[in-house]
Amino acid sequence: MKTLSIFKRSSIALFAISTFAFTSCDDSEDIPPEEHDHETITDVKLIFTNTQDANDVVTASAQDEDGEGVKPLEIKDEITLDANKTYKLTYEILNTLAHDHDEHEEEEEEEEHHDEEEHEEHGEDIGAEILEEDDEHQFFYAFTEGAFSDPTGDGNIDNASDPINYDDKDENDLPVGLQTTWTTSEALNRGEFRVRLMHQPSGLKTETSTAETSDPDFDLTFVLNIQ
């Protein structure tokens, strides 16, 4: 009788441990995954092309040499545009640190001493990824008030309903911003031009979503000169 009692207590303890282990594993499956893993972006180039002269191109860049490391994107250039001109703004957005860990490892070892310029030319095109997922992305802007005659105002970061000349839309007929049009006003010295790329996954991008909906992939403020 005494032996039977010990056996019952042992069985109960074992059952409790097994149940706890099963429940713990099952609970871990209920932990929601992270909603959005930000793209690694090392290079952002703004490209302003004069609509009346394709040879008149102004670029301004930001770079992040350590990718997901502690350093942020760093502004490298000021934006200097001509007064009373219309420009198309497009982008080159890259991850120059991207490489294939599973294949071509030996080739990478042989090429590790190649110059950085060649490596940058073969970076991952994040702009193409944004285009592919354009229903989850939107560029928002802020600028010194009066810097542009079209769009007017100071941009739509503070108020999403303020005008921006988006030239592209996603499958839901919502603006993206990989292409926009800007007409400069009169001369401006050391104003600001801010661009904020929002990633708005899981249906967050709507007609009423703003520059505060979800999290930015990047948020850059350039010095803007108009002469």
Side-chain angles (χ1 to χ4, degrees):
M1 187 73 177
K2 183 176 181 181
T3 303
L4 181 60
S5 177
I6 294 173
F7 174 78
K8 285 183 177 179
R9 288 198 297 271
S10 300
S11 298
I12 292 171
L14 180 60
F15 174 78
I17 293 171
S18 300
T19 302
F20 173 77
F22 176 81
T23 302
S24 298
C25 292
D26 187 58
D27 287 346
S28 65
E29 295 178 359
D30 294 332
I31 298 175
E34 185 176 353
E35 185 172 292
H36 166 51
D37 291 328
H38 289 284
E39 291 88 352
T40 299
I41 295 174
T42 62
D43 291 72
V44 177
K45 181 185 290 186
L46 281 62
I47 306 169
F48 291 86
T49 304
N50 189 328
T51 59
Q52 300 299 314
D53 181 1
N55 294 317
D56 179 11
V57 179
V58 175
T59 64
S61 300
Q63 292 183 328
D64 177 3
E65 296 178 355
D66 67 348
E68 294 181 343
V70 296
K71 294 181 180 179
L73 282 161
E74 179 182 349
I75 303 294
K76 298 295 184 180
D77 309 292
E78 297 182 0
I79 300 170
T80 302
L81 305 176
D82 289 337
N84 303 307
K85 296 290 178 64
T86 299
Y87 295 87
K88 290 284 187 181
L89 171 58
T90 57
Y91 292 89
E92 180 180 274
I93 304 173
L94 301 174
N95 173 13
T96 59
L97 301 180
H99 61 280
D100 190 347
H101 292 283
D102 300 323
E103 299 178 358
H104 311 303
E105 290 183 359
E106 293 182 0
E107 292 180 12
E108 288 176 1
E109 289 179 3
E110 293 175 358
E111 297 173 357
E112 65 181 357
H113 298 299
H114 283 198
D115 59 37
E116 293 181 1
E117 184 174 335
E118 180 179 348
H119 177 62
E120 290 178 1
E121 291 176 356
H122 295 86
E124 180 184 4
D125 187 354
I126 303 300
E129 189 173 318
I130 293 168
L131 179 60
E132 184 178 350
E133 300 175 354
D134 58 4
D135 61 327
E136 298 182 355
H137 289 88
Q138 183 174 348
F139 290 79
F140 290 84
Y141 297 90
F143 43 86
T144 300
E145 187 164 7
F148 300 96
S149 59
D150 188 17
T152 58
D154 61 359
N156 64 348
I157 286 181
D158 60 342
N159 185 347
S161 64
D162 284 354
I164 296 292
N165 297 324
Y166 291 99
D167 296 331
D168 52 357
K169 293 186 177 182
D170 62 22
E171 61 189 29
N172 300 311
D173 203 35
L174 297 175
V176 181
L178 282 167
Q179 297 183 48
T180 48
T181 301
W182 306 81
T183 300
T184 56
S185 188
E186 302 299 329
L188 173 68
N189 184 44
R190 300 195 66 78
E192 290 188 350
F193 187 86
R194 179 182 175 190
V195 53
R196 185 173 192 177
L197 172 59
M198 296 299 298
H199 191 116
Q200 299 172 332
S202 305
L204 292 178
K205 182 180 178 181
T206 67
E207 292 181 353
T208 58
S209 56
T210 72
E212 301 298 328
T213 304
S214 193
D215 299 309
D217 281 328
F218 63 74
D219 191 340
L220 302 170
T221 301
F222 293 81
V223 172
L224 173 63
N225 302 302
I226 299 176
Q227 59 187 19

